[in-house]
Amino acid sequence: MDHLLPKSLGQASFDAGIAPALTVAAGGGERIGFETDDAVYAQLHERGSLDKVTATINPVTGPLYVEGAEPGDALQVTVHEIHLKDHGWSVSLPGAGALADRMGERSFTRRIPVGERVQLTERIDTAPRPMIGCIGTAPATGTGSTIMPSFASGGNMDLTDVAPGATVYLPVLVPGALLSIGDIHAVMARGESSFVAIEAEGVAVVSVDVVKSMPLRAPRVETPGEWCFIGIGDPVQESIKRGYEDMFDFLVDDRGFTREDAYVVMSALAHSELGGPTGSGEPDPLHPFTAVGAVTVHRLPKSVLG
C-alpha cells in the first residue's frame, strides 16, 4: 500500500467543494488505502438510541483527486484488498429495513466478532466476504448523500460485488473525479434486509485509472465472471429499465451484437436483483430510511462475450 487515507478524513457527503485529501496520477499503479469508520454503531450500542448518537452516520473517506480525470470519462477503481478490524455490528433501527414491522420501535445492536469467521450467533458463523457499501465520485452540482438516495456517480449502493477482485467504473462529473469510499461490510446478503448488514471498520485498498471518453449514466462493476450494470432510478421500475438499457447498449454498441441477438441473450441469461435502497425524498437524519425506488443489479455473464 502506497498511501493511507485515515478515517479522520471521513466526510458526511460526496461534494466537489471538499478539498482533496490526496492527489494521484491516473494509471500510476499506486495503491491507496481508504480507512472507514463505524463509530456511529459503537455509540448506538453504548447509548441505546439513534437520537443520542453524535458520530457521523455512514461517513466516506476522501476525496481522492485523480489527475487526468475529466467530465465525460469513467474512473476505473480496482479493489485489491479489504482488511477488516476484529469486530463488526448488526443493528436494527426503528423504521429501517424490510423487517421494521417485526423488530418494533426498540433499537437493537449486536457486536459481531470478526476473524477467520464472522460469529453471527453463538452457533452460526460464516466466512468473511468483505465488500464496500458506499463508493462514488463527486456530483457536478450539489452534494451526494452517503445514506440515500444513491446518485448517478455512486453513493450508498450496497453491492456485494464491490469486493476484492472487482473493478468499479464510475462516471466522472468534475475534474479529478474526487473519489470517496466508506461503509465496509464484513459480510452482507444481497438485498440487505436489515439495511445495515454486518458493518465493520476496515481498510479498502484500491488503485485508479481513467477510461477516456466513456460517458456513463450509472456505475458499472466488472468481476472475474460478470459485468454488472447498475440501475439507479425512482420508482424501482425505472431503475430496472435503466439497468437493462445500459446492458443492451453495451452489447450492441460496444460488443457488436445485433439488437435481436442482444434481446434474446438478455432474456435468457441476464439475471437481475435488488442492491441497496435508492432513497427517500428528504431524509430526516434520525429517520432517514424510508426507501423510494431501489438500486438494481443486472448481471451479464462474460461467457456470452466469447
Side-chain angles (χ1 to χ4, degrees):
M1 185 164 52
D2 299 292
H3 308 280
L4 175 65
L5 300 182
K7 63 183 180 181
S8 59
L9 294 170
Q11 307 288 342
S13 65
F14 296 85
D15 185 347
I18 298 174
L22 175 69
T23 297
V24 299
E30 295 171 271
R31 295 197 176 191
I32 307 103
F34 290 74
E35 184 183 31
T36 66
D37 188 355
D38 68 357
V40 64
Y41 303 109
Q43 285 190 5
L44 182 63
H45 187 69
E46 294 168 359
R47 303 175 187 183
S49 175
L50 192 59
D51 60 9
K52 297 178 182 178
V53 166
T54 57
T56 300
I57 299 174
N58 225 40
V60 290
T61 300
L64 175 72
Y65 187 101
V66 182
E67 293 178 340
E70 297 292 339
D73 298 337
L75 186 68
Q76 178 180 309
V77 183
T78 300
V79 184
H80 297 286
E81 303 169 285
I82 298 178
H83 304 285
L84 299 170
K85 301 292 178 69
D86 62 0
H87 68 277
W89 299 97
S90 180
V91 174
S92 173
L93 299 170
L99 298 175
D101 290 344
R102 296 292 186 265
M103 292 300 289
E105 293 301 311
R106 183 179 64 87
S107 294
F108 159 80
T109 60
R110 176 175 292 172
R111 192 178 189 272
I112 306 290
V114 174
E116 291 187 6
R117 307 286 289 178
V118 179
Q119 196 70 40
L120 302 174
T121 72
E122 288 186 4
R123 67 180 186 86
I124 299 174
D125 59 51
T126 188
R129 295 191 297 274
M131 42 79 67
I132 298 168
C134 200
I135 182 171
T137 57
T141 60
T143 61
S145 175
T146 66
I147 305 170
M148 61 173 61
S150 297
F151 47 93
S153 56
N156 190 29
M157 300 179 291
D158 284 324
L159 304 174
T160 59
D161 303 284
V162 184
T167 299
V168 185
Y169 297 84
L170 299 166
V172 176
L173 303 179
V174 299
L178 297 179
L179 172 69
S180 296
I181 290 174
D183 190 32
I184 284 175
H185 301 73
V187 61
M188 189 191 89
R190 289 175 174 173
E192 197 181 27
S193 60
S194 67
F195 192 65
V196 293
I198 309 304
E199 310 282 338
E201 282 195 5
V203 177
V205 182
V206 308
S207 60
V208 293
D209 202 349
V210 171
V211 182
K212 300 302 292 183
S213 300
M214 184 183 180
L216 299 175
R217 64 176 180 176
R220 190 171 294 180
V221 183
E222 181 183 8
T223 73
E226 292 180 319
W227 280 96
C228 303
F229 297 83
I230 311 307
I232 295 176
D234 176 22
V236 66
Q237 290 81 2
E238 178 66 15
S239 174
I240 294 168
K241 176 176 177 287
R242 290 170 68 90
Y244 277 140
E245 288 175 343
D246 287 351
M247 182 188 294
F248 183 91
D249 293 344
F250 172 80
L251 286 171
V252 173
D253 298 337
D254 296 351
R255 296 304 175 115
F257 279 55
T258 67
R259 295 166 61 84
E260 293 77 12
D261 284 354
Y263 186 89
V264 172
V265 167
M266 286 177 59
S267 69
L269 299 175
H271 298 292
S272 299
E273 63 190 39
L274 292 178
T278 296
S280 59
E282 295 183 4
D284 177 335
L286 298 183
H287 303 90
F289 304 113
T290 302
V292 176
V295 174
T296 55
V297 186
H298 308 270
R299 302 180 176 280
L300 179 70
K302 285 185 173 179
S303 58
V304 308
L305 302 175

